[in-house]
Amino acid sequence: MLGNFLFKIVRSSGGLRERLWKLAYETFPKVLPDSDWWFMNYGFEPTDAERREFGTLDEQQFQWRSRAMYHYLAARAHVAGKDVLEVGSGRGGGLRHVAETMHPASATGLDFASSAIAFCEKNHTGTFARYLEGNSMDMPFEPDSFDVVLNVESCHAYRDQALFIREVARVLRPGGKLHLVDVRAIWNWDLLYQWVSVAGLELIEDVDISSNVVTAIELDEPTKKALIKKRVPFWLRGMFTEFAGNVGSQLYERLKNGEIQYRRIVAQRPA
Ligand SMILES: C[S@@+](CC[C@H](N)C(=O)[O-])C[C@H]1O[C@@H](n2cnc3c(N)ncnc32)[C@H](O)[C@@H]1O
């Protein structure tokens, strides 16, 4: 009950909302220090065609569908030899997967939660990816620094998403691309398209992947439920169930009935 109430506040709007998201994301790595918990997205069930085109993952691995969210996004970005930035890198597993399997020239993660960065520094040592603390709306990078920007299930939480998109346009090199997956209402997607255009980026791909995410949630349900029971303190389980998007959560119901959509977009800075 308390958890559900807190989740509703976090989904409200304004500066309070941003502070509460930050509090939530600062808290998770402390409540759940488990070194094998690398992802915080709802997961992606690839189609057979995607498995054929982009390869398969070890589908027995812990959180493999959350890893798949990254794999089938970044594989489309052809990152080999490119400088890659991930904004909102969380527990760092997605960027590590990209760095270890897709041969980018560099892989930089940025997240505003210092505890998430501390988690990454502890658990992804010896990997090629580097993780920095910083805000998506004021990125600590020179203009024209990256070829690819990845953003996975993060930007709906930013206070000023238009500013985030302008920052992406600033740090991308000419011809560089933003590959983003996120979940939001259709009117809110329309706003994002406007911000993309105002920032001078061109929307070159826009695909509804809600059904891949709904299927992932349904297939992962038994594992996630057991995991939350085992690892999350009882007073946080309500909120965690919402954040994890389990079957029956507000997120799952709204995604299934089409009130919100999970989409993948690609936006390019003109060459
Ligand atoms: C739902 S989690 C997703 C994490 C990761 N992308 C994944 O898929 O596992 C959202 C992440 O965005 C980060 N985030 C939220 N607002 C941010 C901001 N203004 N600047 C940078 N990171 C932010 C959070 O700290 C959190 O790690």
Side-chain angles (χ1 to χ4, degrees), residues 42-262:
Y42 298 123
F44 178 88
E45 175 69 13
T47 61
D48 290 344
E50 285 171 315
R51 284 183 168 93
R52 277 194 301 276
E53 186 172 354
F54 301 112
T56 51
L57 300 176
D58 172 359
E59 300 191 358
Q60 301 307 315
Q61 204 172 23
F62 179 51
Q63 290 194 304
W64 82 265
R65 289 191 178 87
S66 293
R67 182 185 289 262
M69 183 69 88
Y70 278 91
H71 183 81
Y72 295 96
L73 177 72
R76 289 177 155 91
H78 304 290
V79 301
K82 295 182 180 165
D83 291 315
V84 176
L85 167 68
E86 183 189 3
V87 183
S89 45
R91 295 168 83 96
L95 188 68
R96 178 169 174 172
H97 175 79
V98 172
E100 288 184 341
T101 65
M102 297 183 184
H103 313 291
S106 68
T108 305
L110 185 77
D111 201 288
F112 77 164
S114 55
S115 60
I117 298 302
F119 176 92
C120 293
E121 283 169 349
K122 184 168 173 209
N123 294 292
H124 303 307
T125 48
T127 64
F128 164 58
R130 65 173 183 149
Y131 299 90
L132 305 174
E133 184 180 342
N135 202 306
S136 63
M137 294 165 288
D138 183 18
M139 296 192 211
F141 306 116
E142 295 297 315
D144 305 348
S145 296
F146 300 98
D147 306 297
V148 173
V149 174
L150 302 175
N151 190 244
V152 176
E153 215 177 282
S154 179
C155 73
H156 58 264
Y158 306 164
R159 181 178 32 80
D160 187 339
Q161 294 168 37
L163 183 51
F164 159 63
I165 298 289
R166 286 206 299 279
E167 277 291 85
V168 170
R170 182 182 69 79
V171 302
L172 273 177
R173 295 187 178 120
K177 292 180 190 158
L178 165 68
H179 293 253
L180 176 153
V181 281
D182 198 18
V183 60
R184 54 182 66 218
I186 293 164
W187 63 265
N188 210 332
W189 278 113
D190 286 339
L191 277 179
L192 191 69
Y193 304 146
Q194 281 175 37
W195 296 325
V196 162
S197 162
V198 167
L201 299 178
E202 188 190 347
L203 189 67
I204 57 173
E205 199 180 315
D206 178 23
V207 182
D208 184 354
I209 58 168
S210 304
S211 63
N212 305 75
V213 177
V214 167
T215 306
I217 288 174
E218 289 169 350
L219 292 172
D220 278 342
E221 176 67 7
T223 317
K224 271 198 207 164
K225 222 170 152 179
L227 205 63
I228 289 174
K229 196 166 173 205
K230 190 168 162 204
R231 301 208 199 166
V232 179
F234 76 92
W235 58 276
L236 268 181
R237 279 183 203 154
M239 181 160 79
F240 220 88
T241 299
E242 287 297 335
F243 272 108
N246 283 38
V247 171
S249 66
Q250 293 175 48
L251 179 285
Y252 169 79
E253 295 300 341
R254 296 173 75 214
L255 195 54
K256 203 167 172 173
N257 70 24
E259 214 179 303
I260 55 177
Q261 286 184 342
Y262 207 116

